[in-house]
Amino acid sequence: MTAPLLSVRDLTIRFRTDEGLITAVDRVSFDIAQGEVLGLVGESGSGKSVTAKALMRLNGSNTVYDPQSRIILNLPGQAPVDVLALRREKDMMQVRGGAISMIFQEPMASFAPAITVGDQMVEQLRLHRRMTRREAQALSIEMLARVGIPEPARRFGQYAFEFSGGMRQRAMIAMALSTQPRLLIADEPTTALDVTIQAQVIDLMTDLVAEFGMAILFITHDLGVIAQTADRVAVMYLGRQVETGAVRQVIRTPAHPYTSGLIAALPQLDDIDAPLVPVPGDIPSPLNRPSGCVFHTRCGLALPDLCAARDPGFVAPAEGHAVACHLVEAKLREGSPA
Ligand code: SF4
């Protein structure tokens, strides 16, 4: 069996703060196969971005990775690499911007304001693909054209602030894809864009990724976007992974009460009078993580005594579908549908 491109196992991330150690990500595990799109979904504070940044070790200096955590990168023809075990910055640079690239919600985060977009693209290509300046310049202009930026040769010489928001997003995608990463991490890449540009950017990303054969980790709070883009989805809540499965499976037959809540909160275009049903309450502070199931303080189906006392393990309502919930476990034991 081919090893997945990326295997994350028992990823636990804590931050040192003035109030003590806080847990941002708790025993998260997932695989991403070559060419696969995995969606990571959850509200703000669920640990999605912290998880994604860990793949490139971009979290701050107050980060503590649990010694059990593993992030294994299996690149074709190379020995597996545990990203968290890399000690030399030189080795880390092969991963960061080489094997894995990331695009952010706010593209200005990717561009230095005082260097032209073109020079930044060229610098990255020379570092990761060892091209001459002339080759890197030609490829950069080609990539800007590929993402639909008009007059790419002129735009190549401009600064990011001279681009419109949608165009900056496209330029960031061009820069991220130009090094031909094996994995693209897209962290809320369309949240700041209006709906038509959002659709164009999603189409563009999925087309280019299919063409280059790379995998994507797509992070969003919007299950609607995931339904359009991902093959599989992992739902996170307060640093815990609560449900994972094929996108259709999870969206059509959600098993975890939190996933069902996220789906019920989506606007229904075929019934515009239907009220939106938000997940009740707010996500608790990581400083006050609930005991037992972390969702029990907001769950309308919580089982008395059990849910606040015991952390649920994963059960499988169907092949490839994993859910961490005592209620689902009880239903499966009784033989009723989850
Ligand atoms: Fe709700 Fe209990 Fe399931 Fe948690 S384990 S989601 S509290 S039913």
Side-chain angles (χ1 to χ4, degrees):
M1 210 173 86
T2 323
L5 173 67
L6 183 86
S7 275
V8 174
R9 288 290 173 273
D10 292 322
L11 180 64
T12 296
I13 305 172
R14 300 188 180 88
F15 292 122
R16 277 187 292 266
T17 71
D18 291 343
E19 282 82 28
L21 268 188
I22 61 167
T23 302
V25 173
D26 187 13
R27 290 165 289 156
V28 163
S29 297
F30 57 82
D31 289 340
I32 306 181
Q34 182 66 46
E36 183 179 46
V37 180
L38 175 71
L40 209 53
V41 175
E43 294 163 285
S44 302
S46 58
K48 316 179 293 287
S49 294
V50 176
T51 301
K53 283 185 181 161
L55 308 184
M56 293 169 81
R57 297 236 310 259
L58 288 175
N59 288 307
S61 56
N62 62 339
T63 310
V64 181
Y65 293 101
D66 188 276
Q68 301 295 321
S69 304
R70 297 282 179 274
I71 296 175
I72 307 293
L73 195 53
N74 292 296
L75 298 173
Q78 295 183 25
V81 170
D82 184 349
V83 174
L84 293 178
L86 293 176
R87 290 289 161 259
R88 295 186 310 175
E89 188 56 23
K90 181 171 156 254
D91 296 332
M92 203 50 234
M93 289 296 288
Q94 299 289 324
V95 173
R96 200 184 286 144
I100 307 178
S101 274
M102 187 160 180
I103 57 178
F104 301 91
Q105 178 178 346
E106 181 34 75
M108 282 311 270
S110 293
F111 290 110
I115 306 175
T116 62
V117 167
D119 278 351
Q120 291 180 66
M121 293 181 77
V122 165
E123 196 181 318
Q124 191 162 300
L125 283 168
R126 283 170 60 83
L127 179 68
H128 292 291
R129 291 185 61 185
R130 300 210 170 87
M131 291 180 156
T132 64
R133 176 162 288 279
R134 187 186 290 260
E135 288 166 341
Q137 177 166 346
L139 180 60
S140 301
I141 294 172
E142 187 191 320
M143 286 304 294
L144 290 173
R146 294 289 303 281
V147 299
I149 289 183
E151 300 182 79
R154 185 172 71 83
R155 291 291 186 178
F156 175 87
Q158 291 188 321
Y159 297 90
F161 67 80
E162 296 178 89
F163 286 46
S164 68
M167 223 189 279
R168 266 203 296 268
Q169 205 80 6
R170 287 167 181 272
M172 180 172 60
I173 293 171
M175 186 159 81
L177 296 187
S178 64
T179 55
Q180 298 190 350
R182 291 285 170 176
L183 173 67
L184 178 71
I185 302 173
D187 189 358
E188 304 268 10
T190 57
T191 306
L193 302 174
D194 71 45
V195 189
T196 44
I197 310 267
Q198 187 176 2
Q200 288 172 16
V201 169
I202 288 175
D203 282 353
L204 171 70
M205 271 177 48
T206 41
D207 287 355
L208 290 174
V209 164
E211 184 184 329
F212 291 123
M214 59 186 80
I216 311 187
L217 179 64
F218 201 115
I219 298 163
T220 176
H221 60 276
D222 186 342
L223 261 176
V225 170
I226 287 299
Q228 284 177 285
T229 51
D231 302 304
R232 285 187 309 121
V233 60
V235 182
M236 289 185 68
Y237 181 80
L238 202 60
R240 284 287 277 152
Q241 185 179 357
V242 296
E243 181 159 7
T244 305
V247 162
R248 280 167 180 256
Q249 196 173 39
V250 171
I251 289 183
R252 289 196 180 148
T253 54
H256 195 281
Y258 177 59
T259 315
S260 305
L262 289 180
I263 292 170
L266 288 174
Q268 303 296 317
L269 280 184
D270 52 353
D271 183 3
I272 52 173
D273 294 325
L276 292 182
V277 190
V279 179
D282 293 319
I283 195 160
S285 158
L287 285 168
N288 293 310
R289 283 177 75 78
S291 58
C293 168
V294 282
F295 188 57
H296 85 260
T297 52
R298 298 173 74 187
C299 180
L301 301 170
L303 304 171
D305 305 327
L306 182 60
C307 291
R310 258 189 34 219
D311 188 13
F314 278 96
V315 289
E319 202 188 327
H321 191 179
V323 186
C325 174
H326 291 303
L327 183 63
V328 175
E329 185 179 0
K331 284 184 181 172
L332 289 176
R333 227 183 296 121
E334 288 164 8
S336 49

